[in-house]
Amino acid sequence: MADFNQRVHPTTVDLEKNAGEYENQKPSAPLIPKSSLSSEKSEIVPVPVYPPSSGRLTDQFSRDPVISRREVPKYYSPPPKRRNSCCRCLCCTICFLFALVAAIAIACGILYLVFQPRIPKYSVDSIQISNFSINSDLSLNSQFDVKIRARNPNKKIGIYYLDGSHLAVLYSGTELCTGALPAFYQGHKNTTILNVTLAGSGVQITNDMVSTLNAQRQQGSVPLDLKVDVPVKIKLGKLKLWKLKFRVRCSLVVNRLDANADVSVSAKNCKLSRVKL
């Protein structure tokens, strides 16, 4: 114990001599043996701290890292969400859509000013009935010859009428006879007259329809509807556009429905009700 209590103090010269080598030294085992610490737990020996002789040594000790005996666990935070990039992409997409809509609107406005499109006009000039008979089983056979006038009022737009059209004469919502338009091209400022034959056989009707029809025939005022669905292509100058579908509806009133009789049409309101892509 006498040897343990003796202290060996380094001199200033030694401290300055070994100051350069202190940075490269690793922490070593404590100076006090573990056996002596376990045997003399009750004695607390203070370790004196001597001030350095110059500021150089103080600065050297202050720069030494503090080495902990216990490793601190490392916690990794999740990567940040890329909100900025998503918002940027969304804004770019919205701006692109707005620009596209604006470009289409401007193009349509220019085309409208250049070509000045107008709606085609349709009308029914006359109706001839070749057959109209009601059988005992309430089945109806009929044949109508309809003269249709189609007028294109546009100066720079042509219309191609394509195959696949459907025409029908209706009474109280029931199709009496059907037919189709021929395929043709209608030029600028052109009026075309079409003779279309519509035929129907075995069309079932009801007793109420027969009673109402007979009463209207006696009055000389029978309402009929003409339905026309026709595919077309529009020609703008030399440019042919995509296929469209015209739907024309005509409200007609005839004085009689007798075969081979002189039928007059008192009302013939026709309009282009819808254009479908």
Side-chain angles (χ1 to χ4, degrees), residues 208-246:
D208 293 339
M209 291 177 62
V210 173
S211 300
T212 304
L213 179 60
N214 290 332
Q216 292 172 346
R217 291 171 71 178
Q218 290 178 1
Q219 296 174 1
S221 177
V222 181
L224 298 174
D225 293 324
L226 178 63
K227 180 177 68 175
V228 181
D229 292 326
V230 54
V232 300
K233 280 189 176 181
I234 306 299
K235 184 180 180 183
L236 300 177
K238 295 183 179 180
L239 178 64
K240 187 185 296 186
L241 300 183
W242 52 88
K243 184 186 295 187
L244 304 174
K245 192 170 186 179
F246 283 179

Side-chain angles (χ1 to χ4, degrees), residues 159-181:
I159 304 174
Y160 287 93
Y161 289 85
L162 308 177
D163 293 324
S165 62
H166 177 77
L167 280 75
V169 174
L170 295 85
Y171 174 77
S172 297
T174 301
E175 290 188 357
L176 304 180
C177 51
T178 59
L181 289 175

Side-chain angles (χ1 to χ4, degrees), residues 23-187:
E23 293 180 355
N24 299 324
Q25 292 180 359
K26 296 182 179 180
S28 59
L31 299 177
I32 302 175
K34 293 182 180 181
S35 59
S36 62
L37 290 175
S38 60
S39 61
E40 299 178 5
K41 294 182 179 179
S42 60
E43 295 183 5
I44 300 174
V45 181
V47 178
V49 179
Y50 297 93
S53 60
S54 62
R56 178 182 176 185
L57 187 60
T58 305
D59 294 339
Q60 181 67 35
F61 283 127
S62 63
R63 288 194 299 269
D64 293 339
V66 178
I67 301 175
S68 175
R69 296 173 180 263
R70 181 179 178 184
E71 294 184 358
V72 179
K74 298 180 180 180
Y75 298 95
Y76 297 94
S77 59
K81 297 181 179 179
R82 300 181 179 180
R83 296 182 178 178
N84 295 332
S85 60
C86 294
C87 293
R88 187 178 304 171
C89 293
L90 181 60
C91 292
C92 292
T93 304
I94 293 175
C95 293
F96 173 76
L97 292 177
F98 273 113
L100 181 62
V101 171
I104 293 175
I106 293 173
C108 291
I110 294 174
L111 291 176
Y112 181 82
L113 293 177
V114 171
F115 293 97
Q116 297 180 359
R118 295 182 181 180
I119 298 175
K121 304 295 183 181
Y122 303 95
S123 63
V124 175
D125 288 352
S126 63
I127 296 177
Q128 297 294 327
I129 300 176
S130 302
N131 182 21
F132 192 88
S133 60
I134 301 175
N135 302 320
S136 59
D137 60 349
L138 296 180
S139 62
L140 185 145
N141 300 324
S142 62
Q143 181 175 332
F144 286 42
D145 297 320
V146 182
K147 183 181 290 186
I148 300 174
R149 183 184 297 266
R151 180 173 176 267
N152 179 15
N154 295 282
K155 297 180 180 180
K156 300 179 181 180
I157 298 176
I159 304 174
Y160 287 93
Y161 289 85
L162 308 177
D163 293 324
S165 62
H166 177 77
L167 280 75
V169 174
L170 295 85
Y171 174 77
S172 297
T174 301
E175 290 188 357
L176 304 180
C177 51
T178 59
L181 289 175
F184 67 100
Y185 171 73
Q186 189 174 33

